[in-house]
CSV table of all heavy atoms in Angstrom, one decimal:
chain,number,residue,atom,x,y,z
W,2,GLU,N,-1.4,12.2,5.3
W,2,GLU,CA,-1.9,12.0,3.9
W,2,GLU,C,-0.8,11.7,2.9
W,2,GLU,O,-1.0,10.9,2.0
W,2,GLU,CB,-2.7,13.3,3.5
W,2,GLU,CG,-4.0,13.4,4.2
W,2,GLU,CD,-4.7,14.7,3.8
W,2,GLU,OE1,-4.5,15.2,2.7
W,2,GLU,OE2,-5.6,15.2,4.6
W,4,SER,N,2.0,10.2,3.6
W,4,SER,CA,2.4,8.8,3.9
W,4,SER,C,1.5,7.8,3.2
W,4,SER,O,1.9,6.9,2.6
W,4,SER,CB,2.6,8.5,5.4
W,4,SER,OG,3.6,9.3,5.9
W,19,GLN,N,-5.2,-6.3,-4.4
W,19,GLN,CA,-6.0,-7.5,-4.4
W,19,GLN,C,-5.7,-8.4,-3.2
W,19,GLN,O,-6.5,-9.3,-2.8
W,19,GLN,CB,-5.8,-8.2,-5.7
W,19,GLN,CG,-4.4,-8.7,-6.0
W,19,GLN,CD,-4.1,-9.3,-7.3
W,19,GLN,OE1,-4.9,-10.1,-7.8
W,19,GLN,NE2,-3.0,-8.9,-8.0
W,41,PHE,N,13.7,-7.9,20.9
W,41,PHE,CA,14.0,-7.6,22.3
W,41,PHE,C,14.0,-8.9,23.2
W,41,PHE,O,14.4,-8.8,24.4
W,41,PHE,CB,12.9,-6.7,22.9
W,41,PHE,CG,12.9,-5.3,22.4
W,41,PHE,CD1,12.3,-4.9,21.2
W,41,PHE,CD2,13.7,-4.4,23.0
W,41,PHE,CE1,12.4,-3.6,20.7
W,41,PHE,CE2,13.8,-3.1,22.6
W,41,PHE,CZ,13.1,-2.7,21.4
W,54,LEU,N,18.9,-0.3,16.2
W,54,LEU,CA,17.9,0.7,15.9
W,54,LEU,C,17.4,0.7,14.5
W,54,LEU,O,16.2,0.9,14.2
W,54,LEU,CB,18.5,2.1,16.2
W,54,LEU,CG,17.6,3.3,16.1
W,54,LEU,CD1,16.4,3.1,17.1
W,54,LEU,CD2,18.3,4.6,16.4
W,63,ASP,N,6.9,-1.3,9.2
W,63,ASP,CA,6.0,-2.4,8.7
W,63,ASP,C,4.7,-2.4,9.4
W,63,ASP,O,3.6,-2.5,8.8
W,63,ASP,CB,6.7,-3.8,8.7
W,63,ASP,CG,7.8,-4.0,7.7
W,63,ASP,OD1,7.8,-3.2,6.7
W,63,ASP,OD2,8.6,-4.9,7.9
W,72,ALA,N,-6.6,1.1,7.9
W,72,ALA,CA,-7.4,2.3,8.1
W,72,ALA,C,-8.0,2.8,6.7
W,72,ALA,O,-9.2,3.1,6.6
W,72,ALA,CB,-6.7,3.3,8.8
W,81,THR,N,-8.6,11.0,13.5
W,81,THR,CA,-9.8,10.9,14.2
W,81,THR,C,-9.9,9.7,15.1
W,81,THR,O,-10.2,9.8,16.3
W,81,THR,CB,-11.0,10.8,13.2
W,81,THR,OG1,-11.0,12.0,12.4
W,81,THR,CG2,-12.3,10.7,13.9
W,84,GLU,N,-7.6,10.3,18.1
W,84,GLU,CA,-8.2,11.2,19.0
W,84,GLU,C,-9.3,10.6,19.8
W,84,GLU,O,-9.4,10.8,21.1
W,84,GLU,CB,-8.7,12.5,18.3
W,84,GLU,CG,-9.3,13.5,19.2
W,84,GLU,CD,-8.4,14.0,20.3
W,84,GLU,OE1,-7.1,14.1,20.0
W,84,GLU,OE2,-8.8,14.4,21.4
W,89,LYS,N,-11.1,8.2,25.1
W,89,LYS,CA,-11.5,7.1,25.9
W,89,LYS,C,-10.5,6.7,27.0
W,89,LYS,O,-10.9,6.5,28.1
W,89,LYS,CB,-11.7,5.8,25.0
W,89,LYS,CG,-13.0,5.8,24.2
W,89,LYS,CD,-13.1,4.6,23.4
W,89,LYS,CE,-14.4,4.6,22.5
W,89,LYS,NZ,-14.6,3.4,21.7
W,98,LYS,N,-5.8,9.8,39.2
W,98,LYS,CA,-5.7,8.4,39.6
W,98,LYS,C,-4.5,7.6,39.0
W,98,LYS,O,-4.1,6.6,39.6
W,98,LYS,CB,-7.0,7.6,39.3
W,98,LYS,CG,-8.2,8.0,40.1
W,98,LYS,CD,-9.3,7.1,39.7
W,98,LYS,CE,-10.6,7.4,40.6
W,98,LYS,NZ,-11.7,6.5,40.3
Side-chain angles (χ1 to χ4, degrees):
E2 288 179 24
S4 293
Q19 61 185 317
F41 290 91
L54 188 58
D63 286 339
T81 300
E84 181 58 34
K89 285 181 182 181
K98 288 186 176 183

